[in-house]
Amino acid sequence: MDERAYREQNEKTIRSTQTALRNFRDFLVSKYPTETREIYCIPCQELDIYLASFFVDARQRDGSEYEPNSLANYQCGLERYLKEHRYAYSITRDREFQRSQDALKQKQLELKFKGKGNKPHKSMKLTLADELLLRKRGLLSRFNPEGLLNLVWLNNTKAFGHCTGFHSSTLKWGDVRLITTETGLECLEWTYQDFSDPNARNRRSTTECRIYATPHAPQTCPVQDYKDFAQRRPQAMLFEDAPFYLSIKPVVNLAALHWYNCQALGKNKLAKMVKTMCEKGNIPGRKTNFSVYQSCSTLSEAQSNQLVLICNDLRQQAAQSGSSHPGSTNFVIAGSFDSTDSA
C-alpha cells in the first residue's frame, strides 16, 4: 500500500509539472513568439522577466484569472523541471529571480483581495446604506482619528483595489500623489511598479488609477479626506517611502495637529479594517475587506442628499464639542471609540 501510494503521489507530481510547463510555454508562444529556446537554456535575467510577466498576465483558457494557489503550484512545477535539467538557479529562492518572486506575491495578494481562494464563508457586500450608517456613527469621519483612517483606506481601496499590484499593506505615502489635471481639477493618482517591465524601477500611472475631487460636494470629497489625513500625520511621515497607513496614538488630543504615530499600521489590523468598523458600527452580516471590492457603485440622489446631511451634522457636532469647553481638551483613547448611534 505504501508503494502504491508513493507511485500515485509521484504521478500527481509529474502531471503537475507537465501542466505548469505546458501553460508557461503556451504563454511564451502567445506573448513572446520569437522565444523558442527551452526554458532551461534561457539566462536567468531573461527568464526572470518572462516569469514575472507570466504571473501577472497569465489567464485560463476561458479568460478568467487563476486561483492564488495555482500560480504558486506552477512556480513549483517549473522549479522541479528546471532542477531536473540542472539549471544553475532556483526560481523560488535565489535573488536572481527576485522580480518574478515579488510579482507572484503581489498577484496572489490581488487575487485574494478579489475573493479568489476563499470559497467558503462568502463575505457580504458593503452596501451604500452600510456606509451611511458608518458615517452617521463616526466610523467614517474626518473628525476623529479612527474615522479618518477608515475613510482614507476606504477611498483608496474603492478606487485602486482593482488595479494589479495594489495592496494596502505595501502602500507607501509617495505611491499616492495629489496632482491637478489640465482642466484644473485636483485628483489623487496611484503610481505602481510594473514587474512585467524589464526596467522594473520605472513607475507607471494611468487615468484608471485616479480619485477625482468633488468640488460640488466638499463634505464627501475624497481629495479633501486625503488632505486632512496628510495634515494629521507627523512631519517625519510625509516622505515618499513612509508607510501610508499609520497607527493611532494611544491617547489622542482631538485639538492637536497630529493624531498618528511614526509607525505603520499593523498588517493584521489592515486585513480586518471592514470587519472592525462594521462590528463597532453594529452593521449586520459577514463583512470583510473583500466586501468593499463588491460595492464600487455610485450614490443615488436621495443617498447623496442624506450623506450631505450626515456630514453636516458631524461637522456641527465637532464644532460644538470644541466650543462648549474652550478651556478644556477633548481626548480620545485609541481603540475605545464610541460608535453609538446618536440619532
Side-chain angles (χ1 to χ4, degrees):
M1 290 297 293
D2 290 342
E3 184 179 350
R4 181 180 176 183
Y6 174 80
R7 186 166 58 250
E8 289 178 352
Q9 183 65 35
N10 192 41
E11 289 174 356
K12 285 183 179 180
T13 302
I14 293 172
R15 286 197 301 270
S16 177
T17 302
Q18 291 173 340
T19 300
L21 184 61
R22 181 178 64 252
N23 288 337
F24 184 56
R25 281 174 171 168
D26 289 346
F27 175 79
L28 289 179
V29 169
S30 65
K31 188 161 184 178
Y32 304 97
T34 59
E35 180 55 77
T36 59
R37 293 171 291 182
E38 281 286 352
I39 65 170
Y40 53 79
C41 295
I42 302 175
C44 63
Q45 186 175 4
E46 295 176 62
L47 184 57
D48 187 30
I49 293 171
Y50 291 152
L51 287 168
S53 181
F54 174 67
F55 294 140
V56 171
D57 298 326
R59 297 292 185 274
Q60 300 187 67
R61 294 186 184 278
D62 62 0
S64 62
E65 295 196 277
Y66 286 104
E67 293 290 327
N69 289 342
S70 297
L71 292 175
N73 290 338
Y74 288 163
Q75 185 193 43
C76 292
L78 294 171
E79 169 89 335
R80 287 191 295 269
Y81 179 77
L82 291 168
K83 187 176 181 180
E84 290 171 6
H85 289 82
R86 301 181 183 280
Y87 197 68
Y89 301 95
S90 166
I91 65 173
T92 62
R93 299 188 304 273
D94 289 347
R95 62 182 181 181
E96 284 78 7
F97 286 87
Q98 190 67 51
R99 181 184 288 113
S100 59
Q101 292 163 12
D102 290 343
L104 175 59
K105 289 177 183 177
Q106 291 208 18
K107 187 64 177 181
Q108 287 179 308
L109 290 172
E110 175 199 342
L111 292 172
K112 288 178 180 179
F113 179 78
K114 291 180 178 180
K116 291 279 189 178
N118 299 321
K119 300 300 182 184
H121 311 300
K122 184 177 180 181
S123 60
M124 298 175 64
K125 177 181 177 180
L126 185 71
T127 65
L128 295 170
D130 293 336
E131 289 187 41
L132 290 174
L133 279 174
L134 290 171
R135 285 183 180 271
K136 191 174 184 180
R137 293 167 182 173
L139 288 155
L140 290 174
S141 168
R142 295 175 188 163
F143 306 112
N144 69 78
E146 184 178 4
L148 181 58
L149 183 65
N150 290 341
L151 193 57
V152 174
W153 179 90
L154 186 65
N155 292 340
N156 287 346
T157 304
K158 277 191 166 187
F160 309 135
H162 67 283
C163 301
T164 299
F166 178 85
H167 193 66
S168 297
S169 65
T170 58
L171 192 67
K172 302 297 183 183
W173 183 246
D175 293 344
V176 179
R177 299 178 182 180
L178 177 61
I179 64 172
T180 304
T181 66
E182 295 178 356
T183 61
L185 182 65
E186 287 186 317
C187 70
L188 302 174
E189 183 177 75
W190 175 59
T191 60
Y192 65 99
Q193 197 165 3
D194 186 357
F195 287 100
S196 64
D197 188 338
N199 189 1
R201 292 185 178 180
N202 287 345
R203 302 186 66 80
R204 296 186 179 184
S205 60
T206 70
T207 55
E208 296 177 356
C209 300
R210 287 181 179 178
I211 311 176
Y212 291 93
T214 56
H216 59 284
Q219 300 95 331
T220 59
C221 177
V223 173
Q224 188 58 50
D225 296 338
Y226 170 88
K227 289 179 178 179
D228 284 13
F229 186 60
Q231 187 179 25
R232 297 298 185 180
R233 297 169 67 90
Q235 191 68 30
M237 291 290 102
L238 293 175
F239 61 92
E240 287 200 350
D241 288 334
F244 192 96
Y245 302 110
L246 304 176
S247 62
I248 301 171
K249 289 183 176 181
V251 179
V252 179
N253 179 357
L254 295 181
L257 180 62
H258 300 141
W259 288 348
Y260 304 99
N261 294 312
C262 294
Q263 181 180 2
L265 188 65
K267 289 185 178 181
N268 291 336
K269 288 187 177 180
L270 277 170
K272 298 178 180 178
M273 291 291 282
V274 174
K275 179 183 178 182
T276 301
M277 70 175 85
C278 286
E279 286 179 350
K280 289 185 176 184
N282 297 319
I283 305 297
R286 184 177 186 271
K287 303 294 171 65
T288 67
N289 288 0
F290 178 58
S291 301
V292 178
Y293 186 79
Q294 299 172 295
S295 66
C296 297
S297 54
T298 56
L299 292 168
S300 66
E301 183 178 358
Q303 289 169 326
S304 296
N305 292 335
Q306 186 180 0
L307 183 55
V308 170
L309 290 174
I310 290 171
C311 291
N312 284 337
D313 288 343
L314 289 173
R315 179 179 285 104
Q316 290 173 5
Q317 289 173 18
Q320 290 171 0
S321 176
S323 61
S324 59
H325 303 287
S328 62
T329 307
N330 194 3
F331 290 94
V332 171
I333 308 297
S336 62
F337 182 75
D338 183 6
S339 61
T340 305
D341 192 349
S342 59

